[in-house]
Amino acid sequence: MELFVYSDESGVFDKVHNEIFVFGGVIFLSKKAKDIAVRKYKHVERIIRRNEHRNTLYELKATTVKPKDRNKIYRSLNNLEKFGVIIHQQRILKNIFEDKKSKQRYLDYAYKICLKRKLQCLIHNQSIDPQKVTAIHVFADEHTTATNGRYELKESLEQEFKHGTYNYNYSKFFEPLFPNLQSVEVNYCNSAKVTLVRAADITANKLYRSVLVNNEAKLQKHNNFHIIHLP
């Protein structure tokens, strides 16, 4: 069994000027499910482009389409498995923001935890048999993360899902989520070229906007959307 994860972020990770930062994404439990979602999403995009008189070269992102069309695109994702994390920046220790590396480590941690919680839910609901998962493919919108930072995220996910983690404060070992996992692949993509990264962009933006109007609980209840808060 292979898992396909598409994700994006919304907001700015800067506690001086911003209250929240979010990651949001969609998960597919097979290549077949992923391919079906690609075809359906492209169909919705064609309708939106026609409505907004846009050509095929115009990228439909949450920040570039009209609100009613953005909502229409999001509704097309209703049956997909979604995950997200809301980071409350004012609660984070100030020293985390002092350099790029510590900021990136915290964001990697937040990403890993929200993805893990969603996968645990899918295991609990028996949508995933953890013994059968052999590969995880992660696709994220490309940003300014340095090459070594990208490698560190891959290592962090491998540790959590393939090898297990050790908590030195409590002298406790946490077993890996997927004991037969063989590979974790992390790809940073141009959203204009990867359809489901655009779906993740719509998902992250919807989560961000829902926090601003305080209705993320409603979002989670109706849309297979597992949301956590940090810290």
Side-chain angles (χ1 to χ4, degrees):
M1 185 179 194
E2 297 185 48
L3 307 180
F4 298 84
V5 181
Y6 294 82
S7 61
D8 200 1
E9 57 195 45
S10 190
V12 179
F13 196 54
D14 168 20
K15 72 180 295 179
V16 175
H17 303 103
N18 297 271
E19 294 287 331
I20 61 167
F21 180 91
V22 311
F23 285 113
V26 291
I27 296 179
F28 301 93
L29 309 186
S30 69
K31 184 179 184 299
K32 181 180 178 181
K34 170 184 70 73
D35 292 344
I36 290 171
V38 168
R39 290 195 295 272
K40 288 183 176 180
Y41 196 84
K42 285 183 175 180
H43 174 70
V44 173
E45 285 189 320
R46 283 195 293 271
I47 294 172
I48 301 301
R49 283 197 178 92
R50 187 166 63 243
N51 290 347
E52 296 198 0
H53 307 288
R54 303 289 188 179
N55 64 40
T56 56
L57 299 178
Y58 184 81
E59 183 181 3
L60 299 180
K61 299 197 72 169
T63 55
T64 64
V65 296
K66 298 174 182 176
K68 68 173 184 177
D69 288 330
R70 183 173 61 234
N71 290 333
K72 183 173 185 177
I73 296 173
Y74 181 76
R75 287 195 298 273
S76 75
L77 307 176
N78 275 353
N79 294 325
L80 301 186
E81 296 292 348
K82 295 181 283 293
F83 68 97
V85 56
I86 301 164
I87 300 173
H88 299 269
Q89 301 194 60
Q90 302 308 313
R91 303 177 191 171
I92 299 175
L93 294 173
K94 184 179 179 180
N95 62 0
I96 287 176
F97 292 88
E98 290 179 353
D99 63 76
K100 288 184 178 180
K101 283 189 176 181
S102 59
K103 287 171 68 175
Q104 193 59 52
R105 277 195 297 268
Y106 185 85
L107 290 175
D108 287 352
Y109 163 78
Y111 185 89
K112 176 183 72 173
I113 292 300
C114 73
L115 179 57
K116 181 179 181 180
R117 295 290 178 260
K118 175 63 179 183
L119 293 172
Q120 287 174 322
C121 273
L122 292 170
I123 291 170
H124 178 75
N125 296 336
Q126 298 184 334
S127 298
I128 293 176
D129 180 346
Q131 301 294 326
K132 293 182 178 179
V133 175
T134 57
I136 301 176
H137 308 277
V138 175
F139 301 86
D141 192 22
E142 61 185 0
H143 46 75
T144 56
T145 305
T147 301
N148 60 341
R150 299 178 182 193
Y151 181 72
E152 286 169 7
L153 175 59
K154 180 179 184 293
E155 276 195 324
S156 180
L157 295 175
E158 281 185 337
Q159 197 70 44
E160 193 70 47
F161 300 134
K162 182 178 180 180
H163 303 300
T165 57
Y166 190 84
N167 187 312
Y168 292 96
N169 292 329
Y170 298 97
S171 297
K172 185 175 181 180
F173 178 73
F174 294 90
E175 296 289 342
L177 206 57
F178 304 116
N180 297 312
L181 186 65
Q182 297 172 14
S183 66
V184 175
E185 181 184 26
V186 176
N187 302 276
Y188 287 90
C189 314
N190 180 345
S191 59
K193 298 179 179 179
V194 182
T195 302
L196 293 175
V197 171
R198 297 195 295 278
D201 164 68
I202 293 290
T203 302
N205 181 269
K206 183 71 172 181
L207 178 56
Y208 186 86
R209 290 173 180 273
S210 75
V211 179
L212 298 182
V213 296
N214 197 32
N215 74 344
E216 70 270 14
K218 180 180 178 182
L219 193 68
Q220 184 171 6
K221 182 178 179 181
H222 296 289
N223 293 294
N224 304 324
F225 203 152
H226 187 77
I227 301 165
I228 68 168
H229 293 256
L230 288 175

